Amino acid sequence: MQIKLQFLGAAQNVTGSRHLLEANGTRVLVDCGLYQERQLQARNWDPFPVSPKSIDAVLLTHAHLDHCGLLPKLVKEGFCGKICCTPATAEIAKIILLDAAKIQEEDAEHKRKRHEKQGRKGPYPEVPLYTTEDAEGCFPLFSHVRYRESINLGNGIEATFYDAGHVLGSSIIRAKVRQDGQERIILFSGDIGRPDRPIVCDPTVFDYADYVLIESTYGDRIHEEVADVEKTMGKVINAAIKAGGNIIVPSFALERSQEVLYYINELRQKNMIPELKVFLDSPMASRITKVFQNHPELYDKKMTDFVKRHKSPFDLPGLQMAGTADESKAINYIKGTIMVIAGSGMCTGGRVKHHLVNNISRPNNTIMFVGYQAIGTLGRSIVDGVKEVRILGEKRSVKAKIIRIHGFSAHADRNELLDWLRELEAPPRGVFVVHGETESARSFGNYARKQTGWQISVPDYQDQIVLD
Ligand SMILES: [Zn+2]
């Protein structure tokens, strides 16, 4: 067998997922993600390690930017094959890529102005990494694949997508390569979800594979026990209503915002909270919520039952989706307790900053965090308990109640990853640990090796391996 696998991203780091599979003269790229860690962002500007023209197809696991965010650049530089993914992934990826292009354009413009002021050039060109036009340029290449339907990529290579339970439409990809009368199965885990999460199904498990690429975002951690998210949210909301304050929820546009709406609706249905005005103040989250509404076939059993009984959880009474900036500003003048769900999830940009300016200094208000807060972000400073913050150039004292709700993670932890791997009934020929910081990937690799005795390694950036 002569199958080549090259790790072109998310190798001893989390973002920039790109894995190149090469066999029988065909080149298939699994994911084409943007690097988001500050120290690796320069790689986004490097020429692709292989010529985009020479790649025959892209298989896209899901719509997060660190998996799809470099597609416009790949297409701009000559890729013209199909981008295969589930219909929900394609719909969400288009929304996310247009948003990313707009941010790239704005960043370039800011940089240009700043450099002009300072009379200097660089470090990066003052042109956007890609434009809205470039993002739109890759849309015609999207090709829809349904779960469990095999697609033929030619030259003895087949691929099948399975539900990864990470975000709506997310996939684990099983590639089958035939060569000289033999066959090899290679599993690309993408990002693996957790069992029993709302809305999406549990991750698919597999009983056989020759090679596995497994993510390790939380490969060195065990998630805290999920103290009933629903009950905790109910308590926070009731306390805020009693105090006569508002609830501000910094949230990610994909999956987290929809999960928060799901829980609010559950609480309403069970009469655990009174009717409440809820604003989803993020045009991107509103657009993505529509994709969720368009794909009820992807819901898990609990959500399907919910929809049968109460219609969509995204239609709850009192919910308003703010579109324009004026609609967003008007929220400030509403009397009585309101809940505002707004991006960005770590308060690094977006409309949530305005809501924080207006709400963070009043003790009867609540800021409810529902997601991971990376070091160095405004969200992190607030959850770490600083007494004063600078938001949009204004100093504000932090007097609102700061609440963190755990249990929302969309990634499997160390034990859940190992459980997923252990569904394989025979040791694979090789397991490659990707999509994790060096420490996390190595820690998971060592742990899984000890527990299984299998051949497990942690590849580095641009490593190339010949599979036999
Ligand atoms: Zn993801």
Side-chain angles (χ1 to χ4, degrees), residues 61-67 166-167 170 190-192 410-411 435:
T61 61
H62 65 288
H64 273 147
L65 211 51
D66 62 323
H67 292 258
H166 170 62
V167 293
S170 65
D191 289 357
I192 305 178
H411 287 273
H435 200 289

Side-chain angles (χ1 to χ4, degrees), residues 118-243:
Q118 298 167 346
R120 67 183 177 102
K121 290 249 168 236
Y124 306 124
E126 292 158 349
V127 291
L129 183 61
Y130 50 81
T131 61
T132 301
E133 207 178 312
D134 297 329
E136 284 166 349
C138 60
F139 296 174
L141 303 183
F142 278 104
S143 171
H144 292 180
V145 180
R146 300 202 178 269
Y147 285 137
R148 294 175 187 271
E149 271 176 18
S150 297
I151 49 166
N152 190 350
L153 299 168
N155 288 335
I157 306 179
E158 256 175 49
T160 317
F161 289 56
Y162 298 87
D163 200 335
H166 170 62
V167 293
L168 196 82
S170 65
S171 308
I172 297 164
I173 297 171
R174 179 182 183 267
K176 185 158 62 169
V177 180
R178 254 181 244 111
Q179 205 175 68
D180 309 326
Q182 292 191 63
E183 197 177 271
R184 293 288 181 264
I185 305 280
I186 304 143
L187 276 186
F188 296 86
S189 81
D191 289 357
I192 305 178
R194 314 184 61 199
D196 300 323
R197 286 184 53 242
I199 309 173
V200 291
C201 294
D202 288 355
T204 309
V205 294
F206 299 81
D207 58 12
Y208 184 84
D210 293 297
Y211 297 95
V212 184
L213 279 80
I214 185 169
E215 70 125 321
S216 59
T217 316
Y218 293 123
D220 59 350
R221 257 165 285 178
I222 315 278
H223 289 315
E224 278 176 51
E225 198 62 45
V226 181
D228 209 322
V229 173
E230 192 180 294
K231 253 190 219 151
T232 317
M233 265 182 69
K235 266 190 207 159
V236 174
I237 293 168
N238 284 320
I241 292 171
K242 207 172 156 197

Side-chain angles (χ1 to χ4, degrees), residues 63 85-93 144-145 147 168-170 291 295 297-298:
C85 62
T86 63
T89 295
E91 287 167 41
I92 300 169
H144 292 180
V145 180
Y147 285 137
L168 196 82
S170 65
V291 180
H295 290 282
E297 77 284 2
L298 300 177

Side-chain angles (χ1 to χ4, degrees), residues 366-386:
T366 303
I367 318 295
M368 184 169 93
F369 286 91
V370 291
Y372 176 71
Q373 304 299 316
I375 294 173
T377 61
L378 175 60
R380 179 63 170 260
S381 317
I382 298 172
V383 298
D384 279 349
V386 293

